[in-house]
Amino acid sequence: MGLDFTAIDFETANGFRGSPCAVGLSKVRGGVVVEEASWLMRPPENHDRFDHHNVRIHGIKPEQVAGLPRFGELFPEIGAFIGNDVLAAHNAAFDLGVIRSGLEVSGLPGPAYDYVCTVLLSRRCYSLVSNSLPYAAEEAGVPLINHHDAAEDARACAGILIDIAARNGAGSIAGLFLSLGLAVSHQPAFDPARDPLSKATRSALDGLAGGVAAPAGRPFLPGWPEEGANPAPNAAAAPDHPLYGQTVVFTGELAIPRPEAKIRSAELGARPESRVTARTTVLVVGDGFVAADLRSGRLTGKARRVLELHERGQRIEVLSEGEFLQMVGGHVASAARA
């Protein structure tokens, strides 16, 4: 069996994972991209509000998808393109969550998928201060020109996985994961008429039932953010989540209270701490930070400290708040979501 898989990337209309408005797919056979597909779409009914924050990121406006099929109507075509392939995604927990929540709120069952996360592979195989898609793609030799175009992001994800397999001398997904001592992840089949809904979907439906929409964000408050306690990591969390086993520190003004961010990271198996030390593996930066700011120098003191430690050889990664919020999933009532 050759290096065969399909890379996938979704863009969403708002902070709920089940609001896809675009998808890109790249099919790989024998380590080469052989076919691509992409669609714009209307998100599922009642979840099709376009938040300003999301539109600012991906540029897709509601008028561009007006009259197009909804996600549930398009999924048979999307699913047919994927077939029985292993799925690859950069932060796969998010993209697999889009499929699950999007189908759940559409009242449709979903197939099982084996999947791999190129964020986790990038952490394992590259040494980057940020494993965001643009940085990992540049390292893989497939630089992004138009980040957040779903088709281009899927193509970049495919290029990262192809490059990592080549660096490890692996000719298949199974061979790559065996060489790295990792296991391919699995999302089981589900039917919302029979199975419990995902946490993200339950939160979104609870918000609808209560008539509560997530506001655009909380106002900036001067002064030092409240740190709160550092909860212990959840030992029962899924070990294939990109935050599992990480020691996480937060800096800058976040769209959610810092104590809440710590709780959410701990639920997923991370150990939150209050300052950057030799144990730190992930720094989440607020204040509207994006990965490109690492080159421009628009950084907090903690972020500058991380760059110094990284130059000295400490394996430490910088995440934007948007990337962190994608990883923790679900509705955060006080947050603007990417």
Side-chain angles (χ1 to χ4, degrees), residues 20-179:
C21 59
V23 64
L25 300 122
S26 288
K27 186 174 289 292
V28 173
R29 291 291 180 266
V32 177
V33 175
V34 296
E35 188 178 0
E36 296 183 320
S38 62
W39 288 271
L40 291 176
M41 68 197 74
R42 280 190 298 163
E45 189 174 3
N46 298 321
H47 302 279
D48 50 6
R49 181 190 76 256
F50 278 72
D51 285 349
H52 169 74
H53 181 66
N54 293 63
V55 173
R56 182 175 58 82
I57 288 173
H58 54 55
I60 301 168
K61 299 178 181 178
E63 55 266 27
Q64 292 174 255
V65 303
L68 294 181
R70 292 193 186 273
F71 172 69
E73 298 171 273
L74 268 178
F75 189 76
E77 291 184 67
I78 297 169
F81 186 94
I82 297 168
N84 295 320
D85 279 5
V86 172
L87 278 175
H90 206 71
N91 187 17
F94 171 76
D95 294 280
L96 271 292
V98 171
I99 292 175
R100 174 143 194 169
S101 287
L103 290 176
E104 284 176 333
V105 297
S106 300
L108 297 172
Y113 288 114
D114 290 332
Y115 66 92
V116 299
C117 178
T118 50
V119 170
L120 295 178
L121 292 173
S122 176
R123 282 181 181 163
R124 178 65 69 96
C125 299
Y126 299 152
S127 181
L128 304 174
V129 71
S130 169
N131 289 290
S132 66
L133 187 59
Y135 272 73
E138 183 177 312
E139 178 69 16
V142 286
L144 272 169
I145 304 301
N146 188 22
H147 185 26
H148 293 295
D149 174 89
E152 187 166 340
D153 285 1
R155 190 180 310 127
C157 174
I160 292 165
L161 184 48
I162 291 167
D163 178 67
I164 287 173
R167 293 189 188 203
N168 286 274
S172 68
I173 297 293
L176 173 62
F177 274 66
L178 181 64
S179 71

Side-chain angles (χ1 to χ4, degrees), residues 195-207:
D195 300 319
L197 298 177
S198 63
K199 181 179 178 181
T201 298
R202 291 198 310 271
S203 297
L205 294 178
D206 288 346

Side-chain angles (χ1 to χ4, degrees), residues 206-229:
D206 288 346
L208 282 177
V212 178
R218 74 189 171 107
F220 173 78
L221 299 175
W224 294 103
E226 178 190 355
E227 277 288 341

Side-chain angles (χ1 to χ4, degrees), residues 123 199 230-248 250 261-273 281-282 324 327-328:
R123 282 181 181 163
K199 181 179 178 181
N230 291 315
N234 174 17
D240 62 349
H241 192 278
L243 289 176
Y244 183 87
Q246 304 298 316
T247 299
V248 183
F250 297 88
K262 290 186 173 185
I263 290 170
R264 286 184 173 271
S265 62
E267 287 175 347
L268 293 165
R271 180 178 299 280
E273 293 190 342
T281 58
V282 173
F324 170 77
M327 290 179 181
V328 300

